[in-house]
């Protein structure tokens, strides 16, 4: 009889502990909030005549992390006619400053999209870039991703 009680008590304790851990995980997820979001569209043509159009969303979170999502299409015409698209996260990192109001925000990328691997990869050498928010908007230089591409993002 004692061994049955031990098994039942052990099962009850395990179930209670599992429920408690699951509840804590939900609380942590709920505490992560987007504190500022900026959206913009842009287009550019490179020296080969390829035209890129895109929509960019920069999200800043209360844990001092940021994420940049992009939906872009690049179209080449002529003999090398082709279309390439990307739809997803192109950068994740941390930031300092207040992204909810005008001022300077310093962003340090920890992961960037790699075209060859077609996924986010760790940044080998971390550098910090500054964006200056003025009148609820800032310009994001994406010329590393596509020649001559700059997008002005506005606070939502």
């Amino acid at each position: 009889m004692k061994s049955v009680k031990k098994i039942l008590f052990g099962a009850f304790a395990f179930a209670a502990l599992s429920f408690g851990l699951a509840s804590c995980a939900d609380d942590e997820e709920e505490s992560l909030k987007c504190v500022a979001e900026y959206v913009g569209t842009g287009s550019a043509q490179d020296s080969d005549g390829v035209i890129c159009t895109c929509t960019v969303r920069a999200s800043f979170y209360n844990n001092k992390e940021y994420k940049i999502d992009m939906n872009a299409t690049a179209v080449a015409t002529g003999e090398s006619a082709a279309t390439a698209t990307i739809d997803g996260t192109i950068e994740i990192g941390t930031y300092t400053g207040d992204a909810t109001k005008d001022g300077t925000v310093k962003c340090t990328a920890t992961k960037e999209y790699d075209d060859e691997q077609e996924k986010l990869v760790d940044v080998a050498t971390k550098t910090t870039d500054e964006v200056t928010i003025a009148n609820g908007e800032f310009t994001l230089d994406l010329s590393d991703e596509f020649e001559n591409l700059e997008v002005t993002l506005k606070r939502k």
Side-chain angles (χ1 to χ4, degrees):
M1 186 69 157
K2 284 186 176 182
S3 64
V4 173
K5 285 183 180 179
K6 283 183 182 179
I7 292 171
L8 287 174
F9 178 75
F12 177 73
F14 178 75
L17 180 61
S18 297
F19 179 78
L21 291 175
S23 295
C24 291
D26 289 344
D27 292 342
E28 288 175 17
E29 288 177 18
E30 289 176 16
S31 67
L32 182 63
K33 295 201 180 351
C34 182
V35 295
E37 188 171 64
Y38 295 81
V39 178
T41 59
S43 64
Q45 184 170 355
D46 72 8
S47 56
D48 295 327
V50 177
I51 298 171
C52 178
T53 57
C54 68
T55 300
V56 179
R57 177 181 312 274
S59 304
F60 295 87
Y61 298 93
N62 62 337
N63 66 347
K64 293 298 188 177
E65 292 181 347
Y66 73 92
K67 175 176 81 162
I68 300 175
D69 295 314
M70 176 188 278
N71 179 299
T73 302
V75 179
T77 57
E79 291 180 21
S80 59
T83 301
T85 61
I86 182 171
D87 186 15
T89 302
I90 62 167
E91 187 172 302
I92 295 174
T94 60
Y95 73 95
T96 59
D98 189 346
T100 65
K101 59 185 179 182
D102 290 357
T104 301
V105 176
K106 295 180 181 182
C107 300
T108 303
T110 55
K111 292 188 180 284
E112 291 180 331
Y113 184 79
D114 182 284
D115 293 330
E116 292 176 9
Q117 297 182 47
E118 296 183 341
K119 66 178 185 176
L120 285 171
V121 296
D122 291 334
V123 174
T125 305
K126 294 179 182 167
T127 58
T128 300
D129 294 318
E130 289 185 1
V131 295
T132 301
I133 303 168
N135 298 317
E137 62 185 48
F138 66 91
T139 300
L140 190 60
D141 182 0
L142 296 170
S143 51
D144 286 344
E145 285 77 20
F146 191 84
E147 184 181 338
N148 303 319
L149 183 59
E150 289 187 347
V151 178
T152 299
L153 297 137
K154 297 181 182 185
R155 188 179 299 130
K156 285 188 80 177

